[in-house]
Amino acid sequence: MAKVPASVVAATGLVGGYGVARWTKKRPLGGVALAAAGAVAARQWQQEAGGKVAAGLTGLYVAGFAGSHPLAKKVGAWPAVSAVAGGVAAASWAATRCGGKKSCGA
C-alpha cells in the first residue's frame, strides 16, 4: 500500500480541520482533526527529513493555521485556508522530496 505524502496529509489537515469545524459548528472537533493530521505529518517529516526539518515544517503548519484567521478577514475563509494549505504542502514537498538533503544530487 502506498503511503500518503506528508504534504498531502498536512494540506488535508488544514482544509479538513476547517471543514469539520464549520460543518459541525464545533470548533474543538475541527481542532482534533487539525491536530491529528499535523501529528501524522510531523512524524512523516521526521522520518523523511530529520528533526530540524520536521520542527520547521510543524512550526509552519501551526503558523499557517494561525495566519489563516487574519487572512480570512481580507479574502474570505475558504480562500485563506486554501492558500495556507497550498503553501504548507509546497514547503513540505520541497523540504522532503530528497530526504532532507540540501540538494537532490548530494
Side-chain angles (χ1 to χ4, degrees):
M1 176 183 262
K3 183 169 73 168
V4 178
S7 58
V8 173
V9 173
T12 301
L14 289 161
V15 172
Y18 172 67
V20 167
R22 180 176 174 133
W23 288 314
T24 65
K25 297 189 180 7
K26 295 182 185 252
R27 293 181 75 178
L29 193 57
V32 169
L34 177 83
V40 170
R43 185 161 199 262
Q44 283 185 238
W45 290 327
Q46 197 280 326
Q47 291 172 342
E48 294 172 10
K52 288 182 182 180
V53 171
L57 289 171
T58 300
L60 181 63
Y61 184 79
V62 172
F65 164 70
S68 68
H69 291 81
L71 182 60
K73 291 178 181 177
K74 296 180 190 280
V75 299
W78 280 113
V81 170
S82 298
V84 299
V88 170
S92 173
W93 176 80
T96 61
R97 68 189 176 101
C98 299
K101 298 174 186 159
K102 289 187 180 197
S103 169
C104 289

